[in-house]
Amino acid sequence: MSNPPQATVKTELTATPYCKNCGAPLTGAYCADCSQRADVHVPSTLELIHEALEGVTHSDSRLWMTMKYLLFVPGKLTLEFVAGRRVAYLPPFRLYLVMSVLFFLIASIWPGEAVHLTGLEAASKTAAGATPVARTPQQRCDDVHSDIFEAQIKRACERIVRDNGEAFKHDVVATAPKAMFILLPLIAFFHMLLYWFPRQRYPVHLLFFVHVHAFAFLAMSIAWLLNQIGHLSLTLDTVCGVLLASIMVYMPVYLVLAMKRVFRRGWPNTFFKSVALFVIYLFVLSITMAGTVLYAALRL
Ligand SMILES: [Zn+2]
C-alpha cells in the first residue's frame, strides 16, 4: 500500500524536470535560472541534523572560510569578491547584517555599557546631587532651553530623568543599526575621494567598508563578551584585559592592512590615507551619532 500524495510528488519530480521555484527546465542538479536545487524533497529529521552539523563542523565550509579570512586576512574577502570568487564565502551584505545583529544584540543585553550617555547622565546626577530635595522630572528639566524642538527635548529630558535613561538607551541601540546605513555609504564616498588617482569604482569602496564593518562588529562583540567574562573573577579579568587590549590594537592595524591589500599603494601612502580616513571617520561618526541620539530623544 503506497501513500498516494508521495507517489504523486515522485512522479512529478522524475517526469517533469522543471524548477519548482521558477519553472525553468532543469538540466542538472541545480536550476540554471535561479540556482535552486532540483531535488526539493522535504528532508527527514536525520538529514536536517546532518546538514546542520556539516555546516558547523566542516573546516572548509563557507562559514568557517569566511570567518577565517574576515578575522585574520584583512581585505581578502573584498579582493575575492571583486575577483569573482564568491560561492566559497558568505555574501558581503549578509555577513555584515549577521555581524551587526550579533553586536547590537549583545549591546542590548548589557545596555548599561553599550551607550555611554555621560553628558546627559552626569547632568542629571549633578542636578540630583546638588538638590537633595526630591524634584519632579518636570522641575529638573525646566532649565532646558533650545531654539528648535524645545517641547520635544523637554519631554525627552523628563522621560530620561524618570527612568534613568533606560528607554533612551534602548532607543539609541535600536536606532544605531539604521544609522549605519547612512554612515557606511558616506564613509565609502570619502574613501573613494582619498583614492581618486587611479580611480576605483564606488562599489569597491562600499564593499570594502561592508567587510571592514563586519569585522569591526565581530571584534567589538568579542570584546564585549570578554569584558563581561572579565567581571567573573580576578584571574579572568587579567586574561580578558590582555585580550581586550590586543583587540583594541588589532582593529586599527587591521584597517591599514586591509587598505594596503585591497588598494595596493605603498606603505607611506597607505599610512597617510589611513590617518586621513581616521579623521574623516571620527567626523562622520560623530555627526551620525549626534543624529541618532537626537532622533532617539525626539521619539521618546
Ligand atoms: Zn529556478
Side-chain angles (χ1 to χ4, degrees):
M1 288 284 277
S2 67
N3 201 334
Q6 257 189 9
T8 325
V9 169
K10 281 230 167 85
T11 330
E12 263 178 31
L13 268 179
T14 46
T16 55
Y18 291 103
C19 172
K20 288 272 192 288
N21 184 52
C22 69
L26 289 171
T27 49
Y30 294 87
C31 170
D33 274 14
C34 75
S35 76
Q36 175 166 289
R37 279 180 75 114
D39 178 10
V40 287
H41 77 280
V42 178
S44 69
T45 311
L46 260 180
E47 282 173 319
L48 274 179
I49 294 172
H50 178 78
E51 202 171 300
L53 285 179
E54 198 176 43
V56 176
T57 53
H58 274 209
S59 58
D60 60 343
S61 81
R62 246 159 59 116
L63 177 68
W64 295 118
M65 279 290 276
T66 311
M67 294 315 249
K68 190 174 85 183
Y69 286 154
L70 182 67
L71 276 173
F72 304 114
V73 195
K76 172 91 174 173
L77 288 174
T78 309
L79 279 186
E80 289 287 276
F81 190 93
V82 172
R85 289 184 290 273
R86 299 177 190 176
V87 179
Y89 314 102
L90 290 180
F93 282 98
R94 194 184 306 167
L95 177 67
Y96 170 85
L97 283 178
V98 169
M99 292 310 153
S100 139
V101 166
L102 174 74
F103 172 73
F104 286 108
L105 184 76
I106 292 175
S108 67
I109 294 175
W110 293 287
E113 287 168 280
V115 194
H116 289 285
L117 305 163
T118 38
L120 275 167
E121 276 176 345
S124 68
K125 282 201 179 105
T126 318
T131 49
V133 187
R135 299 169 73 196
T136 64
Q138 168 80 56
Q139 286 168 326
R140 285 165 67 181
C141 294
D142 271 350
D143 297 339
V144 174
H145 293 295
S146 165
D147 291 337
I148 45 162
F149 305 125
E150 180 162 323
Q152 287 99 323
I153 289 174
K154 269 201 172 143
R155 199 180 61 223
C157 171
E158 284 163 26
R159 185 77 198 274
I160 289 166
V161 173
R162 207 177 303 136
D163 68 355
N164 256 327
E166 281 309 312
F168 183 51
K169 281 180 201 166
H170 181 266
D171 272 16
V172 169
V173 173
T175 312
K178 293 174 209 148
M180 288 303 294
F181 285 101
I182 300 169
L183 182 125
L184 251 172
L186 263 181
I187 285 296
F189 174 75
F190 286 120
H191 195 252
M192 182 179 73
L193 298 185
L194 275 180
Y195 282 98
W196 196 253
F197 297 111
R199 219 174 137 187
Q200 284 273 4
R201 288 167 61 233
Y202 178 71
V204 177
H205 295 279
L206 189 60
L207 201 66
F208 175 75
F209 281 102
V210 164
H211 280 132
V212 165
H213 279 90
F215 162 76
F217 279 131
L218 179 60
M220 288 190 295
S221 303
I222 297 171
W224 219 282
L225 289 175
L226 284 172
N227 194 31
Q228 296 301 323
I229 296 168
H231 291 332
L232 297 177
S233 83
L234 212 62
T235 325
L236 280 177
D237 195 36
T238 317
V239 177
C240 290
V242 172
L243 289 173
L244 260 172
S246 322
I247 292 176
M248 290 308 137
V249 173
Y250 185 49
M251 282 176 71
V253 171
Y254 182 99
L255 178 66
V256 177
L257 292 177
M259 288 168 81
K260 177 85 173 84
R261 178 171 277 121
V262 175
F263 298 96
R264 298 199 177 103
R265 302 295 200 275
W267 279 113
N269 187 310
T270 304
F271 188 72
F272 166 75
K273 282 183 164 63
S274 67
V275 172
L277 178 70
F278 181 72
V279 174
I280 296 169
Y281 199 100
L282 277 188
F283 177 69
V284 177
L285 184 69
S286 38
I287 289 180
T288 317
M289 275 172 73
T292 307
V293 168
L294 184 68
Y295 177 80
L298 292 183
R299 275 163 44 107
L300 276 178

